């Protein structure tokens, strides 16, 4: 019996959208609404996301360039992600960004 490859079709996009939501929520939880890439890696590991720093930086760049959900700055060799108003709007479900998983409705 052959397993259809369609079972995994779109998995990567779904995974990336989930990771982007985790990042936005982590930034929102911080008093300064910002985290460096090393701390974001720790947060992702708590959610069983085991990917490279390059993967993380690709996601951060996507979130800045495509959704405007974050703003990136550099500090030495670190990248710092800052939550933007657009990112906060997504978390509040006021204006959703395609490519970032929508947050669950409040219970």
């Amino acid at each position: 019996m052959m397993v259809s490859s369609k079972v995994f079709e779109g998995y990567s996009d779904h995974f990336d959208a989930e990771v982007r939501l985790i990042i936005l929520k982590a930034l929102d939880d911080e008093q300064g609404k910002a985290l460096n890439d090393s701390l974001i890696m720790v947060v992702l590991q708590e959610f069983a996301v085991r990917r490279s720093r390059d993967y993380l930086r690709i996601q951060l760049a996507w979130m800045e360039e495509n959704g405007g959900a974050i703003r990136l700055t550099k500090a030495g060799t670190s990248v710092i992600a800052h939550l933007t108003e657009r990112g906060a709007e997504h978390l509040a479900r006021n204006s959703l960004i395609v490519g970032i998983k929508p947050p669950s409705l409040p219970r």
Side-chain angles (χ1 to χ4, degrees):
M1 180 177 192
M2 186 174 209
V3 177
S4 170
S5 64
K6 293 193 182 278
V7 172
F8 296 105
E9 196 172 298
Y11 174 78
S12 179
D13 292 338
H14 176 79
F15 186 87
D16 292 347
E18 180 82 28
V19 166
R20 294 170 189 151
L21 177 60
I22 292 168
I23 293 167
L24 280 186
K25 286 182 172 183
L27 295 174
D28 191 50
D29 284 347
E30 290 299 311
Q31 184 175 0
K33 307 298 183 200
L35 284 169
N36 68 42
D37 56 345
S38 292
L39 291 173
I40 296 171
M41 291 288 291
V42 172
V43 170
L44 291 177
Q45 289 174 5
E46 290 294 317
F47 286 89
V49 176
R50 306 275 190 263
R51 297 290 170 101
S52 68
R53 187 175 305 272
D54 286 341
Y55 170 82
L56 171 60
R57 287 185 175 182
I58 288 167
Q59 297 311 309
L60 293 174
W62 186 97
M63 293 171 72
E64 180 179 48
E65 295 165 9
N66 295 293
I70 63 172
R71 180 179 48 83
L72 299 176
T73 58
K74 293 214 43 136
T77 59
S78 293
V79 173
I80 302 172
H82 306 263
L83 183 67
T84 64
E85 186 175 334
R86 179 86 172 95
E89 294 263 327
H90 180 86
L91 290 172
R93 297 183 64 92
N94 292 332
S95 178
L96 297 178
I97 301 168
V98 175
I100 301 177
K101 182 179 177 184
S104 301
L105 291 171
R107 295 182 182 241

